[in-house]
Every structure is written in structure tokens, then in C-alpha cells.
Amino acid sequence: MSDPSCKACSGTWPGSDHFIADLGLSMAYLHEDQYFPGWAVVVFKRHAIELFHLAPTERIQLMEEVSQFAKVLAETFDAKKMNYGLLGNQMPHIHWHLIPRLSNDPAPLQPVWRIPHDRVTLSADRIQATIARIKKRL
Ligand SMILES: [Zn+2]
């Protein structure tokens, strides 16, 4: 089940060059903005908008995938705290933002979307090196 007007379903977001791993019901990608190092997104494979639209078994498995992947990110980036964001206002297809918040975080009490910053876009080599670091712990 997919929605052709949806960026996740049509494969236009996130970019395939940011793909990290297939987690089962979801896929993990490095976020294109690395101002917060290790910022990743976990995208549900089929089109669904709300958690309450999922079957209970899917919801349980998705939360397990999100939790396990968050642990990998926390260990890889030595996070002081993990942030979890499931918004979908801009793209209504279930995707979790998983954001390691590090000890040198510029504003640790704020959600990342409230922190003004220039987007940090890594080179293709650095994207692949960052993905390789994460995959070592999967
Ligand atoms: Zn979709």
C-alpha cells in the first residue's frame, strides 16, 4: 500500500545515498542535515500516517526497531541523550527522527527544530564514512 504523492512512498525522500539499513518494517537513513551529528530517520516501509493506524503487532515491532536503532546511534555517537521525533506535519508518512544529543550540544534543553543553524551537508565520502561507523554496531 503506497501513496504516489508521498515523498517516502515514491522514494524521493530520504535519498538512497543516505540509506543505512533495512530494519524489518522500516528503513534507516542518515538525515541530510548533520548539524547534530548522527541525526537519522527511520521510515516505515508502507504508507501509514498515524501510529494508531498500525496493527498492534506492527506498532510493537516498529517501536522495537526504533529503540534498537536509537541504541546503536547513542553508542556510535556517545550521546548524552537521544531525542525521538514523530511529527509528520511536512510529510504525513510515519517516520521517526532519531537525534543523538551530545555533551557539546549548543542548546541541550531545546528540541532541534527550535535551534537556528545552517544546515550541515556532508560530502559523499563523509556520508558513507558516517554510515559505515553506524553499521559497524548493527
Ligand atoms: Zn507514504
Side-chain angles (χ1 to χ4, degrees):
M1 186 169 20
S2 71
D3 175 346
S5 68
C6 168
K7 289 195 295 182
C9 290
S10 64
T12 56
W13 187 88
S16 58
D17 56 335
H18 286 68
F19 175 72
I20 301 170
D22 184 329
L23 303 178
L25 294 181
S26 63
M27 312 260 266
Y29 297 84
L30 196 65
H31 193 266
E32 56 269 21
D33 180 3
Q34 287 296 295
Y35 179 80
F36 296 93
W39 186 341
V41 288
V42 171
V43 183
F44 195 55
K45 284 183 182 174
R46 73 170 174 81
H47 189 76
I49 297 173
E50 304 291 352
L51 282 177
F52 57 75
H53 291 155
L54 305 184
T57 52
E58 288 179 308
R59 194 162 44 241
I60 289 166
Q61 184 177 335
L62 176 61
M63 289 315 305
E64 191 60 23
E65 292 172 13
V66 167
S67 298
Q68 292 298 323
F69 191 66
K71 182 171 186 276
V72 166
L73 291 174
E75 292 171 353
T76 303
F77 295 92
D78 194 24
K80 191 172 175 189
K81 177 72 185 78
M82 285 301 298
N83 282 177
Y84 307 79
L86 179 67
L87 304 173
N89 302 25
Q90 293 184 29
M91 189 186 74
H93 175 127
I94 291 175
H95 64 285
W96 288 87
H97 290 264
L98 299 181
I99 308 140
R101 304 298 294 267
L102 311 185
S103 57
N104 63 351
D105 194 286
L109 301 183
Q110 298 293 326
V112 294
W113 293 280
R114 299 218 20 216
I115 303 168
H117 65 272
D118 291 327
R119 175 177 285 229
V120 172
T121 305
L122 303 181
S123 67
D125 284 352
R126 286 198 56 208
I127 291 168
Q128 290 313 309
T130 304
I131 290 171
R133 274 180 68 201
I134 297 167
K135 287 178 84 163
K136 267 191 209 164
R137 294 182 182 266
L138 280 173

